[in-house]
Amino acid sequence: MSLVLEAIPAPVAARITAELTIPTIGIGAGPDCDGQVLVYHDLLGLTEGHLPRFVKRYANLSREIRDALEAYAAEVRSGAFPDEEHTYEMPAEELAEFEGLERPVRPRKR
């Protein structure tokens, strides 16, 4: 059993921690709790907009993720991805055998 102390003044959390026999876990409750928790989305900067006072960002990955996704989408739309280095090869004799297989005729789905 433990107690999570969230967004409370540090002196209050310190007193609660001192008076309890179970561990306290702080999230915005100061350094005197027995442990700390911070949502990884917040500490990695995966979210944007207003953050609670107790959040400390160790990275700003939301911008990098957005930039990467936009670059990927642009390359797919332009045909730049995937290119030859991102596909698998097959021996010529296997390709010839594959191409010689009879294919069922199916209407193409859109």
Side-chain angles (χ1 to χ4, degrees):
M1 184 184 301
S2 63
L3 179 66
V4 174
L5 303 174
E6 182 174 352
I8 65 171
V12 175
R15 182 165 174 186
I16 292 170
T17 300
E19 293 190 17
L20 293 178
T21 58
I22 61 172
T24 60
I25 307 300
I27 180 166
D32 294 312
C33 294
D34 297 308
Q36 298 292 326
V37 66
L38 190 55
V39 176
Y40 79 89
H41 291 82
D42 293 337
L43 76 91
L44 293 176
L46 296 176
T47 55
E48 297 177 334
H50 175 74
L51 296 172
R53 177 179 173 84
F54 57 80
V55 171
K56 180 177 180 181
R57 288 220 165 154
Y58 290 84
N60 187 5
L61 300 181
S62 67
R63 182 172 296 127
E64 289 185 45
I65 291 169
R66 184 180 50 242
D67 291 348
L69 291 172
E70 288 173 356
Y72 165 73
E75 286 191 11
V76 168
R77 287 185 193 110
S78 74
F81 180 83
D83 59 15
E84 192 171 318
E85 72 179 280
H86 302 109
T87 61
Y88 292 93
E89 297 178 5
M90 106 190 279
E93 62 274 0
E94 287 182 22
L95 178 58
E97 185 178 340
F98 173 76
E99 288 175 339
L101 294 175
E102 189 174 319
R103 294 183 277 178
V105 177
R106 294 185 190 156
R108 191 166 190 192
K109 293 183 180 180
R110 291 189 180 248

